[in-house]
Amino acid sequence: MRQSSVTLVLGGVRSGKSRYAQQLAERESRVIFVATAKVSDDEMQRKIERHREERPAEWITVEEPLELVQVLAQRGSSCDVMVVDCLTIFAANLLEAEGDDRGAVDRRVEALCEALRSASCSVVLVSNEVGSGVVPAYPLGRRYRDLLGEINQSVARVADDVVLMVAGLPLALKGHLEVTL
C-alpha cells in the first residue's frame, strides 16, 4: 500500500470486499479499524462478533457510527492505515441522524471527503455497490439507495484507488490494483 493513499472497495453483499480491505491493511503494522455498525438485533450482533474474530487481535477497533471525520482527525496520525467498514451502514446512520435535512447530509459527506484528502494515514473504505439492484419499493429505501450511491461517487472522486469486488475477485476501476488472493 502506498503512503497516505485512499482506497475505496466496492461490491455487493458477500463479494469479498471486507476481506480484501483487511488484506490490504494487514501489510501495515499500525492499523485502526473503524466499525460503523450499531447492534440493532441478534443477527447484527452475530455479524459484528464474527467480524471482530476475523480481525487481527493487535488492531485497534474504534466503534463510531457517524463521526468518521472526527476519528480521522483524532486517530489518523497514530496509525499507518485506517479501515472504515462500512460506508453502507454510515449512510443509514447519516439518514437517521439528519433526516430530511439534505444540506446537513451534504455538509457531512463533503467534510468526510475533505478529511480523506488531508488524512495523515492511508484509508481503506468499504461500501456496498447498490446501483445494480432493484428499485426499493418505499421512498425511504430509494432515498437511502440514492444517498449511498452519491457517497460512493464522492469518495471515489477523492480516492487514489477504487476496486470493485465480484465473487471474491478484485477489479480495478481507478488507480492501482493490489492483488491479494
Side-chain angles (χ1 to χ4, degrees):
M1 178 173 289
R2 295 168 306 185
Q3 196 163 1
S4 296
S5 64
V6 175
T7 302
L8 176 60
V9 182
L10 296 166
V13 174
R14 306 297 296 164
S15 63
K17 59 193 175 297
S18 292
R19 183 176 299 114
Y20 183 82
Q22 181 173 322
Q23 289 171 338
L24 290 177
E26 285 173 343
R27 299 174 181 182
E28 303 297 338
S29 56
R30 299 178 310 147
V31 179
I32 293 179
F33 184 92
V34 182
T36 61
K38 300 183 281 190
V39 177
S40 55
D41 56 30
D42 290 341
E43 179 185 2
M44 183 57 83
Q45 177 68 41
R46 287 189 300 275
K47 183 176 183 176
I48 289 169
E49 288 172 6
R50 186 183 77 243
H51 278 279
R52 282 183 187 146
E53 291 169 3
E54 292 171 353
R55 287 192 299 270
E58 64 273 11
W59 287 13
I60 295 170
T61 298
V62 175
E63 295 180 356
E64 178 49 61
L66 196 57
E67 301 301 334
L68 300 181
V69 171
Q70 193 173 53
V71 173
L72 276 163
Q74 293 174 349
R75 302 281 197 121
S77 62
S78 66
C79 65
D80 301 313
V81 63
M82 186 176 293
V83 177
V84 176
D85 197 352
C86 67
L87 293 178
T88 312
I89 303 283
F90 169 75
N93 297 337
L94 192 54
L95 273 179
E96 181 182 15
E98 301 298 352
D100 291 329
D101 187 345
R102 186 57 199 225
V105 169
D106 290 345
R107 285 188 296 277
R108 282 186 182 260
V109 172
E110 182 51 41
L112 173 60
C113 290
E114 189 55 40
L116 292 171
R117 284 184 196 98
S118 61
S120 57
C121 63
S122 291
V123 183
V124 178
L125 302 107
V126 176
S127 189
N128 282 51
E129 173 50 57
V130 294
S132 299
V134 297
V135 175
Y138 300 97
L140 181 58
R142 291 189 294 276
R143 279 184 48 223
Y144 168 75
R145 179 215 45 204
D146 292 349
L147 175 61
L148 181 56
E150 291 165 9
I151 291 171
N152 288 344
Q153 288 182 53
S154 295
V155 172
R157 278 191 293 276
V158 301
D160 301 291
D161 305 306
V162 179
V163 176
L164 176 65
M165 297 298 296
V166 179
L169 300 173
L171 174 65
L173 301 178
K174 178 182 178 184
H176 181 74
L177 175 65
E178 301 269 348
V179 178
T180 61
L181 302 174

